[in-house]
Amino acid sequence: MPGFGGKQLEMDGSIDDKSEDSPSSSGSSQPQNLSTVVHTITAVPTAIPNQPVQVQSVIQPTQQSVIQAAGQIQTVQVEEDGEGHLVRTDPDIEKRREILSRRPSYRKILNELSSAEAPGIAKIEEDKEEEAAITSIQTTIPSYVQTSGQYGGYCIKEPTEPPSHQLPIIYGPPVPLPPARMQDSSKVRGIGDASQDSSSYKKVTAGQTIQIAAANQNELTTQGLQTITMTNAGQGAVTAAAMPAGTTIVQYTQGDGSQQFVTVPAGEVQAYQIRAPSSLPAGVVMATPTGITSPQQLAEESARKRELRLMKNRYKNREAARECRRRKKEYVKCLETRVAVLEQQNKTLIEELKSLKELYCHKAETE
DNA sequence: TTGTGATGTCGTCAAGAAAA
DNA sequence: TTTTCTTGACGACATCACAA
């Protein structure tokens, strides 16, 4: 499976044990062909860990056993592999193997496994509460206290003190900042390290300097995106210090209502015709290049478009990455639980097999 | 105290999968 | 076909343990 070190994780619940200490593999003196064995298995259902269940079963090669566990009935097909190993072969296994061999979607894998199995495995669902919380934050924070992804983290304003300058800036999804950094400095970092702690937001009070910086300033500049330093000098005035005179800020609204901005350097602003076509949602301003002739300009334009697209996606993707990591963790946890349960089950079954073989031998001797 | 390596987390981008 | 979702890979940074 990609992403898991190339290892194919086996989650098929096989009752096969080929380890060296396995009695069935080492006990050559024991009869290898079990035709019919009637016994009791104390099994731990995989879906309900730490909950031993008494299972009455009759195991024969290639037959089904019914395992009743905590109110649920699980049908298990087992057969002997010729070496005395009991191998579970129900079709479910094939399905699971197929699922796991695909590129993992942790949510799907877990949901499919849990629906195919028992209700004990929690399904991964959308975290509605989390979403609601985010929405709530977005709606309660004053509109000018937020910022966008690439420049982001730069949210920025006294809620009680609307700016007099009305610089059309920095609307967008809230960008959380790590508490430590917030304590240390009023400087807000830029590209590639916007934020880490979704529970808090940068609040800048009067007199602070807000620097919106890029890791690679040159790259940004060539794409028409500026490094912006806004200084709140205490009078409530905010200026874009690093922004060249004449720089235009294009602000647009995303589908989810969040807003983004792009700056257009003074030298290039004439090349754009700002319009608001009726096909676009309200609030969206589309900038179309006009009079671009040289390949270099075309390249710059495509780079700018690409940057705009990336910027639009950045916030969503940040959230998606968080979700993905959360699901991955949950998935791994589930696998670990499963491994533990199956190991326990395996041990129990080996013990059971051992005692049954002894019983069988003893019976054969007396006859 | 300072430097360093290991480890973990996060944001970002790209590519493929899935949905519309 | 286009858009959206998902996740691996990568780099940046924080934190911790340890040695000098």
Side-chain angles (χ1 to χ4, degrees), chain A residues 19-324:
Chain A
S19 61
E20 287 176 8
D21 59 352
S22 164
S24 52
S25 57
S26 59
S28 54
S29 61
Q30 305 285 351
Q32 292 295 314
N33 268 333
L34 297 176
S35 54
T36 301
V37 182
V38 180
H39 63 285
T40 300
I41 300 172
T42 302
V44 180
T46 58
I48 309 169
N50 308 321
Q51 194 173 342
V53 195
Q54 284 293 324
V55 179
Q56 282 289 340
S57 64
V58 178
I59 292 185
Q60 288 179 309
T62 321
Q63 80 165 46
Q64 287 192 341
S65 301
V66 176
I67 296 179
Q68 185 161 10
Q72 59 183 300
I73 293 178
Q74 187 182 2
T75 301
V76 178
Q77 194 165 44
V78 292
E79 60 183 40
E80 207 171 290
D81 66 357
E83 296 178 28
H85 304 126
L86 293 175
V87 183
R88 189 176 156 180
T89 60
D90 37 330
D92 225 24
I93 294 167
E94 287 306 311
K95 190 185 170 192
R96 283 190 214 161
R97 282 201 176 123
E98 191 197 335
I99 290 168
L100 289 167
S101 66
R102 294 201 299 253
R103 176 178 174 165
S105 167
Y106 303 116
R107 184 189 312 182
K108 276 204 163 186
I109 291 172
L110 266 185
N111 287 351
E112 284 183 40
L113 285 176
S114 55
S115 64
E117 204 148 304
I121 299 175
K123 290 188 177 186
I124 298 178
E125 291 173 359
E126 293 293 335
D127 199 335
K128 302 288 183 191
E129 282 182 19
E130 226 174 62
E131 276 183 18
I134 288 170
T135 306
S136 144
I137 288 167
Q138 284 176 327
T139 53
T140 53
I141 289 178
S143 59
Y144 44 80
V145 185
Q146 299 174 27
T147 185
S148 62
Q150 167 108 32
Y151 295 71
Y154 330 105
C155 301
I156 314 255
K157 214 216 142 243
E158 276 290 76
T160 55
E161 191 181 358
S164 56
H165 65 296
Q166 291 298 338
L167 190 62
I169 44 170
I170 325 188
Y171 292 176
V175 179
L177 291 166
R181 294 174 195 169
M182 291 172 66
Q183 287 160 13
D184 288 345
S185 169
S186 60
K187 182 177 173 180
V188 185
R189 293 173 28 232
I191 286 177
D193 191 26
S195 57
Q196 300 201 355
D197 183 354
S198 61
S199 64
S200 55
Y201 296 87
K202 178 68 178 177
K203 179 180 171 183
V204 179
T205 54
Q208 283 184 297
T209 296
I210 305 148
Q211 185 173 18
I212 298 172
N216 185 344
Q217 208 167 311
N218 291 335
E219 181 189 324
L220 264 186
T221 306
T222 58
Q223 292 168 4
L225 299 173
Q226 305 297 308
T227 293
I228 303 169
T229 300
M230 281 170 275
T231 302
N232 189 332
Q235 294 86 7
V238 178
T239 58
M243 197 183 298
T247 295
T248 300
I249 297 174
V250 178
Q251 178 191 328
Y252 63 92
T253 305
Q254 289 184 292
D256 60 359
S258 61
Q259 299 188 40
Q260 309 279 352
F261 75 96
V262 194
T263 60
V264 182
E268 299 180 27
V269 71
Q270 290 86 356
Y272 288 82
Q273 181 182 20
I274 308 297
R275 62 194 177 91
S278 55
S279 59
L280 290 174
V284 175
V285 177
M286 198 171 86
T288 31
T290 59
I292 291 175
T293 51
S294 76
Q296 191 188 351
Q297 279 176 310
L298 284 172
E300 283 177 9
E301 171 56 22
S302 66
R304 191 170 287 121
K305 277 183 178 171
R306 178 179 165 277
E307 187 59 32
L308 192 64
R309 177 173 50 81
L310 287 176
M311 207 164 78
K312 279 179 169 177
N313 291 336
R314 219 161 267 151
Y315 173 70
K316 266 191 180 179
N317 193 239
R318 191 184 306 151
E319 293 296 311
R322 283 198 197 123
E323 272 302 293
C324 180

